[in-house]
Amino acid sequence: MSGTALIYDDEMTRYKLLWTDPTCEIEKPERLMVSYEALKSKGLAERCESFTVREATEEEILLAHSKEYLEAVKQTPHLSLEELMSFTQQYSDVYFHPNIYHCAKLAVGATLQLVDNVMTGKVRNGMALVRPPGHHSQRNAANGFCVFNNVAIAALYAKKHYNLNRILIVDWDIHHGQGVQYCFEEDPSVLYFSWHRYEHQTFWPCLAESDYDGMGKGKGAGFNINLPWNKVGMTNSDYLYAFLQVLLPVAYEFDPELVLICAGFDSAIGDPEGHMCASPEIFGHLTHLLMSLANGRLCVVLEGGYNLTSLAQSVCQTVQTLLGDPTPILTGIGSPCHSAVESVQNVQAVHQSHWSCFNHITVSLVSEPSTKRSRKEDGDGEDTTETKDKTDKTEDIVWAEPLPRPAPPVRTVAVVPTELEDCLPEGCQHLGEISQLYIEEAKKIRNDHARDMTNEKSLQCLQNVLSVLEKIRNKEVCNGMVLVPDVFAFVSCAVQHALGSLCDRVLVVFVGDGNIPLDTQDGRVLLVQICSKEPEGVKSHYHVPVCLSKGLCEAASVIQAVLGLLLPLAYEFGPGLVVEALGDGSSKQDVPVWSQLTSLLQGLGQGRTLALLQRDCGSEMVSATGVSLLGSPAPSLGPLGAPLSEDVEALEAQRQRLKSQWGLLLKTESRTESQDK
Ligand code: SS9
Ligand code: ZN
């Protein structure tokens, strides 16, 4: 199963504001036009599967809306201008037009077509470019430019038609999708996550229920997660931190069967509503991080986004990631701001009893919900003006256009023994006998770094590794896999070669016990070792042993380690290459976790990965690694239980050891003046 759907119909550009209203003028037809034009001009639209858009049926709209409301909206095409204006009056921040009912039915229809094509396996994932947006609309009301709740209807439709029991809705729009929250408040089968500009309830829609203590009711308690942003100017680091600390741990524990994104891009830089500072590239990463859930079934549905430039760029970043192109470079990832850390910690604290990923560490509330305390008391210092100033005049903000993300002609190359060639998935290029091109370099590296590697076969294999690295360097391939006789020596040799010719920083993720002969003192190599026995002599801040009592076997512990330690360090480190190595002692049971790890790591270093596997790791491991390197979604791990408490303690000990060096490991207790914004 592969392919990305793009659902679009220019009919949805054919309604607009017909009178003067400063709050509504930003929601204009050009939003959709520029997004689609950008996808066409970058050659992305033609790479997607397109489908003609249908209208939703009344029955489908009634999944989330009342009969009375539908009947009222149905009359709007026949109203005069004056009647439209007064009809509009009963709702907040929305306008009607004679053609909006038609467009709203198309917006729901487009979203349902996306769900159908993903659920029936016609495509792996996709995006629906729609207007009007949906996440603010409610059972009985239009609101915030929204008429029908596209994504809420899609979730109810997917439950009904595909018998789904667990759906995740991620709302990265900068406004709270209160309409979605109301729809699923008591429903544990739909997990809703929203971050939103909140500023202690002073930002629209100014609701108490949007605060971090709005967490669902009755059976749905714990299945609504609100992350309020109490400052403007949030950056890539804050968004990444929120994903790694809150959304992803819960999402892996929940194990959705389908992921829907309320994809508003008013959370991007330059937006006149959001006033945030995250770059368009971040949406490539947020998308990538969600692509290994639900076996890759991911439906992205446009919501807001009012700066036409950043909107179009962000849409392109998202779609290009869905298509599987190398992830964009993120520079300058580091400490989240104090206000973000505080919000994250509050969410973790109130959700501790619902999600075992949070009930380990002692997290306590940093502050009362905004409604229960005085508005003026901000709780986080006197720096309120500093972040505001940067983002007040959105028209003055400039940022670099995202760089192209060309995909090498071949994604994955592999060198495996002949008897394992048949295990390689289709599309994975096999390298036969390597020419002697790299013999001198191989000998030199062997003499410097692996003197006891004496036999001819090893030297041949080392040439294979060098050859794969050269192909990565020349952009002939994106990633590669080599089975090696001695993973310790080969990791060391590969890293030396890469640092000399390919990039400045290498991330090594080593799974297995033992001591890897790598010098991590100079900060050019970050070594994260997932092991079951503590390795000797760990001193450097760039050597991070993650000791898990059952190694890869306990998925909950591994996911906690990957999201809570490995990925924060890795994103902040910003490697140009990832070397992932699997030592001996791995077993069949480790395959799904290894696959997830391999998929997640492709967010780093523009997806440039060298996988080195100990030669006897088994055919399942070889084939699963190939599949993940090719960009196929890793199989889901099933709902996760609590991580083992000894593992949690070991992770917390590492976090304590490293937190002063790595900003993304911050918690409020560890904040120092210099790390504060
Ligand atoms: C405050 C007015 C907010 C509603 C915005 C709805 C966005 C939907 N400046 N107006 S994504
Ligand atoms: Zn919005």
Side-chain angles (χ1 to χ4, degrees):
M1 188 224 307
S2 69
T4 294
L6 178 62
I7 322 258
Y8 175 71
D9 188 322
D10 63 4
E11 178 65 12
M12 286 180 280
T13 66
R14 297 195 191 108
Y15 77 90
K16 63 176 187 192
L17 179 64
L18 295 175
W19 51 85
T20 311
D21 178 351
T23 61
C24 288
E25 67 192 13
I26 55 175
E27 203 296 291
K28 48 188 166 206
E30 288 79 3
R31 296 181 53 242
L32 227 47
M33 298 172 182
V34 299
S35 300
Y36 190 65
E37 286 307 315
L39 288 171
K40 278 202 296 191
S41 75
K42 300 219 153 18
L44 298 170
E46 63 180 16
R47 293 170 57 195
C48 296
E49 315 257 345
S50 54
F51 300 87
T52 39
V53 174
R54 69 166 172 95
E55 286 185 4
T57 65
E58 293 197 2
E59 189 190 342
E60 289 161 349
I61 293 166
L62 291 172
L63 287 169
H65 298 278
S66 68
K67 186 86 189 154
E68 303 83 89
Y69 176 62
L70 173 58
E71 292 304 320
V73 176
K74 207 194 273 184
Q75 301 312 312
T76 58
H78 315 294
L79 301 183
S80 69
L81 184 65
E82 275 184 6
E83 289 169 326
L84 278 174
M85 284 176 77
S86 77
F87 182 79
T88 294
Q89 295 282 305
Q90 64 187 307
Y91 306 116
S92 160
D93 298 73
V94 63
Y95 64 89
F96 280 82
H97 176 281
N99 198 36
I100 202 174
Y101 173 54
H102 182 219
C103 293
K105 283 189 291 186
L106 292 175
V108 176
T111 307
L112 298 184
Q113 278 173 298
L114 177 55
V115 167
D116 278 330
N117 282 299
V118 166
M119 287 310 302
T120 56
K122 296 205 176 62
V123 292
R124 173 186 296 158
N125 57 32
M127 175 157 196
L129 279 183
V130 301
R131 268 178 89 232
H135 69 153
H136 297 300
S137 78
Q138 296 148 45
R139 187 160 186 81
N140 279 305
N143 182 274
F145 312 150
C146 303
V147 176
F148 299 135
N149 202 314
N150 309 318
V151 169
I153 294 169
L156 293 165
Y157 175 89
K159 277 179 60 166
K160 181 168 156 193
H161 291 269
Y162 300 99
N163 276 312
L164 300 188
N165 295 313
R166 294 183 311 279
I167 298 173
L168 170 65
I169 300 177
V170 177
D171 189 336
W172 71 42
D173 188 281
I174 208 56
H175 300 94
H176 181 217
Q178 84 279 38
V180 183
Q181 172 166 322
Y182 299 154
C183 190
F184 301 108
E185 240 162 359
E186 301 192 41
D187 184 349
S189 66
V190 178
L191 170 57
Y192 178 60
F193 169 89
S194 173
W195 66 33
H196 34 270
R197 179 173 170 189
Y198 192 59
E199 295 175 294
H200 303 296
Q201 213 188 314
T202 61
F203 188 70
W204 189 89
C206 308
L207 303 167
E209 60 268 33
S210 310
D211 212 342
Y212 62 79
D213 58 341
M215 32 194 219
K217 301 177 178 152
K219 284 190 178 153
F223 295 90
N224 191 93
I225 302 185
N226 285 333
L227 176 57
W229 298 127
N230 287 318
K231 290 278 177 75
V232 295
M234 294 297 166
T235 62
N236 290 349
S237 300
D238 300 307
Y239 285 6
L240 210 47
Y241 184 71
F243 261 51
L244 295 174
Q245 288 281 331
V246 179
L247 173 60
L248 293 170
V250 173
Y252 274 92
E253 186 168 341
F254 181 63
D255 183 40
E257 300 158 307
L258 172 67
V259 180
L260 307 174
I261 305 183
C262 287
F265 298 102
D266 41 15
S267 44
I269 189 161
D271 191 274
E273 276 288 305
H275 289 211
M276 297 299 175
C277 291
S279 68
E281 289 90 335
I282 198 67
F283 297 100
H285 284 272
L286 303 183
T287 302
H288 181 261
L289 288 166
L290 296 170
M291 281 168 69
S292 349
L293 293 162
N295 297 305
R297 290 161 168 175
L298 179 57
C299 298
V300 183
V301 183
L302 183 67
E303 297 280 358
Y306 306 100
N307 176 310
L308 298 180
T309 309
S310 92
L311 168 64
Q313 291 173 352
S314 302
V315 166
C316 288
Q317 291 294 314
T318 303
V319 170
Q320 199 171 357
T321 305
L322 292 175
L323 284 164
D325 283 357
T327 45
I329 303 172
L330 283 183
T331 51
I333 295 298
S335 306
C337 72
H338 177 65
S339 177
V341 175
E342 178 176 299
S343 292
V344 160
Q345 191 164 334
N346 285 333
V347 183
Q348 291 177 332
V350 296
H351 278 281
Q352 265 182 103
S353 51
H354 304 288
W355 299 100
S356 48
C357 57
F358 299 141
N359 70 26
H360 53 291
I361 25 162
T362 27
V363 279
S364 47
L365 281 189
V366 198
S367 50
E368 287 279 281
S370 304
T371 40
K372 296 195 187 117
R373 57 183 204 166
S374 130
R375 289 282 167 72
K376 275 173 277 163
E377 159 214 345
D378 205 312
D380 45 9
E382 276 71 59
D383 56 341
T384 30
T385 49
E386 191 216 317
T387 36
K388 265 235 149 98
D389 283 352
K390 282 194 293 196
T391 50
D392 249 6
K393 289 202 198 115
T394 47
E395 63 271 26
D396 291 348
I397 289 183
V398 288
W399 64 93
E401 189 182 331
L403 296 170
R405 296 159 52 185
V410 171
R411 176 150 175 154
T412 304
V413 66
V415 194
V416 300
T418 337
E419 66 273 19
L420 285 173
E421 268 174 51
D422 291 344
C423 307
L424 293 177
E426 206 183 317
C428 193
Q429 190 184 81
H430 184 254
L431 273 196
E433 282 298 277
I434 306 294
S435 73
Q436 297 288 302
L437 219 54
Y438 301 106
I439 185 74
E440 291 311 319
E441 172 74 0
K443 282 183 175 163
K444 181 177 166 296
I445 292 202
R446 179 188 62 180
N447 293 342
D448 292 351
H449 301 281
R451 243 175 255 135
D452 45 3
M453 187 197 287
T454 46
N455 70 53
E456 262 316 295
K457 273 226 160 123
S458 291
L459 198 63
Q460 176 72 59
C461 189
L462 183 51
Q463 290 179 74
N464 291 339
V465 170
L466 298 185
S467 158
V468 169
L469 284 172
E470 282 305 297
K471 283 179 184 295
I472 293 175
R473 185 175 77 92
N474 296 334
K475 304 187 166 75
E476 292 168 54
V477 305
C478 190
N479 56 41
M481 157 170 60
V482 185
L483 264 63
V484 297
D486 172 3
V487 81
F488 294 95
F490 275 77
V491 165
S492 165
C493 292
V495 167
Q496 293 316 317
H497 181 76
L499 285 176
S501 70
L502 202 148
C503 59
D504 299 334
R505 285 181 307 281
V506 179
L507 168 68
V508 178
V509 179
F510 185 95
V511 176
D513 291 318
N515 292 309
I516 305 111
L518 262 183
D519 181 10
T520 58
Q521 292 300 335
D522 65 1
R524 299 201 299 162
V525 181
L526 171 63
L527 167 61
V528 179
Q529 181 174 9
I530 301 176
C531 48
S532 52
K533 285 193 231 45
E534 189 82 39
E536 295 152 26
V538 177
K539 288 188 206 81
S540 149
H541 278 124
Y542 292 90
H543 181 189
V544 182
V546 179
C547 245
L548 304 177
S549 47
K550 296 192 179 160
L552 285 194
C553 283
E554 189 60 47
S557 294
V558 182
I559 291 298
Q560 180 120 319
V562 169
L563 300 177
L565 202 55
L566 168 55
L567 291 182
L569 299 178
Y571 272 97
E572 187 163 349
F573 183 62
L577 173 76
V578 177
V579 175
E580 59 160 11
L582 184 65
D584 46 16
S586 70
S587 74
K588 251 191 205 179
Q589 306 166 51
D590 298 340
V591 172
V593 179
W594 172 262
S595 293
Q596 279 289 340
L597 178 61
T598 303
S599 297
L600 287 168
L601 285 173
Q602 284 177 72
L604 286 314
Q606 300 169 274
R608 293 167 150 205
T609 303
L610 172 66
L612 298 176
L613 312 191
Q614 183 67 39
R615 191 167 278 166
D616 53 12
C617 65
S619 59
E620 292 87 354
M621 201 53 109
V622 171
S623 125
T625 306
V627 166
S628 288
L629 289 175
L630 281 168
S632 295
S636 96
L637 300 172
L640 299 180
L644 302 172
S645 63
E646 61 263 44
D647 294 347
V648 171
E649 277 162 35
L651 287 174
E652 181 58 15
Q654 282 302 320
R655 197 183 70 79
Q656 291 295 342
R657 180 173 81 94
L658 299 163
K659 66 186 184 186
S660 62
Q661 303 293 314
W662 299 95
L664 274 188
L665 297 181
L666 268 184
K667 300 247 163 87
T668 45
E669 36 86 16
S670 67
R671 186 177 62 93
T672 67
E673 285 303 65
S674 65
Q675 290 164 333
D676 215 334
K677 247 197 208 160

